[in-house]
Amino acid sequence: MGGAVGLGAVLAACGGSDSKDSAASGSKSADAGPWKFRDDRGQSAEAKSVPKNIVAFTGVAAALHDYGIEVKAVFGPTKTKDGKADVQAGDLDISKVEILGNVWGEFNVEKYAALGPELLVTAMWEKDALWYVPDQSKDKILKLAPSVALWAARTTIPKAIQRHEDLAASLGADVRAAGVVAAKTRFEKAAARLRAAAKAKPEIKVMIGSASQDLFYVSLAKMSADTLYFQELGVGFVEPKVDEAGFFENLSWENVDKYAADIIMMDNRSSALQPDALTSKPTWAQLPAVKAGQVIPRTTEPIYSYDKCAPILEDLAKAIEDAKKVA
């Protein structure tokens, strides 16, 4: 990540992405014969038969799980310090997968090799940069199995879901199963509800935040797949003066009131401080949205299945429907 390590680590902590469409397609044949899938790098992963021994970034593994495709091992945020499933693990049973790495920069290459992997799958926030695959061991890792990278940026939620569905279908998933169809219907209803809520309350401004001990990060909506889509549905966002990378603006806690917002969406990942950990910061407590109780979680790295994305739209729609103009 173009300074892959530098920018990647910051994104891992705070979220962020670019916004352009990707155009790539997947083979949907799940026969025992040759398998091929063209990923979002424009590269084709190939195997003599449909891969079964799959290793994936945790969030991608969670999406595949929702389509009925299970992986043998994962890497990325999977288990919290108290041993529970990380928010990015979705419905994965984390006791049944090998965890090759749980934090940024951690990937056990020896364990990976011992699994006899047939396919590696991960997300991509910048072109050709494989999310949570460490730069220092990337070459060794990529020699061991074909790889697939799917955009988590330069796209919108519906397009990202479609690509994950394409991959799942190529691996043998029944994407017309009743549960998948029902989840898609729920997602479409949720999108219509969010569009209607945004239209009914155009005055409501939303700020996208992420907190660390020393800094508060305000993200630019068009740079992430989730918030770009919300913007397309009519949601109004605070527009920060972003840094050179273009993803977000860093604010000191003294200046956290720089922007007026009616709703604050806070990064829900385990790498970010959560709102209940910010009560000791007086400037946070004085924000109008905080005083009004209009702070909601933001799923910064969505699990790209209809099942997991529908509630994200529903929650934001409800927040806007219930919001008062306070800024």
Side-chain angles (χ1 to χ4, degrees):
M1 291 193 171
V5 175
L7 180 55
V10 173
L11 287 175
C14 310
S17 53
D18 281 323
S19 57
K20 276 187 193 167
D21 293 348
S22 64
S25 61
S27 159
K28 296 201 176 183
S29 167
D31 306 323
W35 174 85
K36 186 175 182 179
F37 185 87
R38 186 172 170 81
D39 76 356
D40 291 351
R41 294 171 295 181
Q43 295 182 16
S44 291
E46 299 184 41
K48 290 179 181 176
S49 60
V50 177
K52 300 293 182 193
N53 211 8
I54 303 165
V55 175
F57 170 68
T58 304
V60 178
L64 291 175
H65 170 84
D66 286 351
Y67 287 101
I69 302 297
E70 304 300 341
V71 305
K72 292 291 174 67
V74 295
F75 55 95
T78 307
K79 189 184 286 190
T80 58
K81 286 175 184 172
D82 60 5
K84 294 178 181 173
D86 189 275
V87 66
Q88 290 184 250
D91 291 334
L92 284 178
D93 183 343
I94 63 170
S95 69
K96 291 184 177 174
V97 290
E98 182 89 50
I99 300 172
L100 302 177
N102 200 55
V103 296
W104 182 260
E106 186 178 88
F107 191 115
N108 191 316
V109 183
E110 290 72 25
K111 275 189 184 177
Y112 177 61
L115 289 167
E118 296 172 339
L119 179 65
L120 177 83
V121 191
T122 191
M124 183 168 64
W125 289 80
E126 286 197 317
K127 186 78 167 83
D128 299 330
L130 303 184
W131 195 230
Y132 274 79
V133 175
D135 281 350
Q136 64 270 25
S137 50
K138 179 180 68 177
D139 292 344
K140 283 183 190 173
I141 292 166
L142 295 181
K143 280 177 186 170
L144 294 168
S147 62
V148 163
L150 298 178
W151 277 120
R154 308 189 185 215
T155 189
T156 59
I157 285 178
K159 291 171 186 172
I161 291 174
Q162 185 59 58
R163 293 297 290 140
H164 285 70
E165 188 171 287
D166 289 344
L167 176 60
S170 82
L171 294 169
D174 179 5
V175 297
R176 295 181 184 85
V180 175
V181 173
K184 184 174 184 180
T185 300
R186 180 183 173 187
F187 177 87
E188 289 167 347
K189 285 181 180 174
R193 179 182 173 185
L194 180 54
R195 190 189 293 277
K199 189 175 181 182
K201 289 191 172 179
E203 73 281 7
I204 296 297
K205 279 280 185 207
V206 180
M207 181 161 68
I208 310 158
S210 185
S212 72
Q213 196 56 49
D214 300 319
L215 293 170
F216 185 80
Y217 305 88
V218 182
S219 292
L220 189 61
K222 70 177 184 178
M223 300 298 275
S224 293
D226 59 332
T227 47
L228 172 61
Y229 183 52
F230 304 154
Q231 206 167 38
E232 288 180 355
L233 292 174
V235 177
F237 286 97
V238 165
E239 297 205 359
K241 293 182 171 64
V242 295
D243 59 18
E244 269 183 40
F247 300 103
F248 43 75
E249 179 177 2
N250 304 340
L251 298 178
S252 67
W253 283 103
E254 289 75 20
N255 295 315
V256 77
D257 61 353
K258 180 176 179 179
Y259 297 105
D262 304 293
I263 295 172
I264 304 174
M265 299 179 73
M266 289 294 288
D267 187 346
N268 74 338
R269 293 174 297 176
S270 52
S271 54
L273 289 182
Q274 298 307 300
D276 59 4
L278 302 177
T279 52
S280 63
K281 297 189 181 293
T283 50
W284 167 259
Q286 290 306 307
L287 292 176
V290 176
K291 288 168 102 173
Q294 294 179 175
V295 178
I296 63 171
R298 176 200 175 198
T299 304
T300 306
E301 289 188 56
I303 293 165
Y304 289 115
S305 68
Y306 291 113
D307 183 70
K308 293 300 179 292
C309 289
I312 295 172
L313 302 187
E314 291 165 352
D315 290 347
L316 180 55
K318 184 177 190 307
I320 293 172
E321 289 162 0
D322 295 346
K324 295 186 175 79
K325 182 72 186 170
V326 294

